[in-house]
Amino acid sequence: MIRDIERILIARGAISDRVRALAEEITRDINEKEDEAELVLVAVMTGSIIFVADLMRNLPMKIRIQLMTASSYVGKTTTSSHDPVVGKLPDVTGKHVLLVDDILDSGKTLTRIQGELETLHPKSVDTCVLLRKKLPSAMAVPCTYVGFDIEDEFVVGYGLDYDDYYRNFPDICVINP
Ligand code: IMP
Ligand code: MG
């Protein structure tokens, strides 16, 4: 194992079970909103890259995917340094939207993007994160679907990075850089 990796926090099998369960919940809820509803997945890059790819393959309805960029951690740091820099907004007017991100930490990224999407008058906006840190900041952000609540540790793998490395690890691991 690579030196910086301290331990596996959530193994790949547990992740895929949870992703399947989240997809079932999302499917049930959207069908309650509207018959044959279509969904626009707005995926926050780069951290949600693996999560959204797995999630969408478990969703049976008609889907479009839009990628957005946002970044708040730059370089070799494990503390979010500034307000997130958010890229171009996708076209979501009149659509049911599911905003997908990897992790809720300060909550600034999700809150900011959700607020910006709302200004485009979508039919609905729900939010989905794979991980949420047990921090007052993160727990205070309303989020429709949460995969796992985790302790306040810096994690990598399954799309999450440290200095842009380790996104390829199939398990979610605690890092000690
Ligand atoms: P927030 O805006 O502080 O909630 O942070 C959101 C972004 O910071 C996430 O989308 C991640 O890209 C990144 N982030 C926060 N915590 C971690 C972590 O433990 N590991 C890797 N990236 C993280
Ligand atoms: Mg991110």
Side-chain angles (χ1 to χ4, degrees):
M1 183 155 298
I2 294 174
R3 188 170 46 94
D4 293 342
I5 300 300
E6 199 178 281
R7 64 179 196 280
I8 291 177
L9 184 67
I10 310 171
R12 60 199 80 182
I15 300 171
S16 68
D17 289 350
R18 188 68 188 119
V19 170
R20 224 173 298 120
L22 284 172
E24 279 171 19
E25 255 186 85
I26 293 164
T27 305
R28 196 192 54 223
D29 293 348
I30 195 90
N31 287 338
E32 276 174 16
K33 281 193 181 124
E34 190 181 323
D35 278 347
E36 297 185 37
E38 293 186 28
L39 194 57
V40 178
L41 295 185
V42 175
V44 184
M45 290 291 110
T46 308
S48 73
I49 188 168
I50 314 273
F51 177 40
V52 79
D54 282 347
L55 185 68
M56 70 191 291
R57 281 179 289 180
N58 282 282
L59 292 172
M61 72 290 285
K62 273 182 94 177
I63 279 179
R64 281 193 168 134
I65 180 162
Q66 299 270 1
L67 308 181
M68 274 197 70
T69 55
S71 50
S72 47
Y73 286 67
V74 177
K76 294 183 181 176
T77 175
T78 57
T79 43
S80 125
S81 46
H82 50 73
D83 282 341
V85 179
V86 171
K88 191 173 170 286
L89 289 176
D91 171 19
V92 296
T93 305
K95 311 267 171 53
H96 289 295
V97 175
L98 182 67
L99 174 59
V100 182
D101 204 358
D102 51 359
I103 187 164
L104 261 179
D105 181 10
S106 74
K108 285 182 190 166
T109 307
L110 205 72
T111 306
R112 167 84 185 278
I113 296 180
Q114 183 170 7
E116 296 203 9
L117 291 176
E118 303 273 11
T119 67
L120 301 174
H121 306 292
K123 237 188 238 174
S124 66
V125 182
D126 287 298
T127 49
C128 178
V129 295
L130 179 66
L131 306 171
R132 175 172 63 185
K133 289 190 183 170
K134 291 182 195 160
L135 290 172
S137 57
M139 303 303 275
V141 175
C143 184
T144 324
Y145 307 99
V146 177
F148 300 92
D149 282 315
I150 63 168
E151 298 303 323
D152 181 19
E153 295 180 294
F154 201 81
V155 289
V156 297
Y158 198 72
L160 291 111
D161 73 301
Y162 169 69
D163 193 24
D164 257 327
Y165 289 107
Y166 312 123
R167 296 192 196 275
N168 53 310
F169 285 9
D171 308 300
I172 292 169
C173 303
V174 175
I175 193 172
N176 207 343

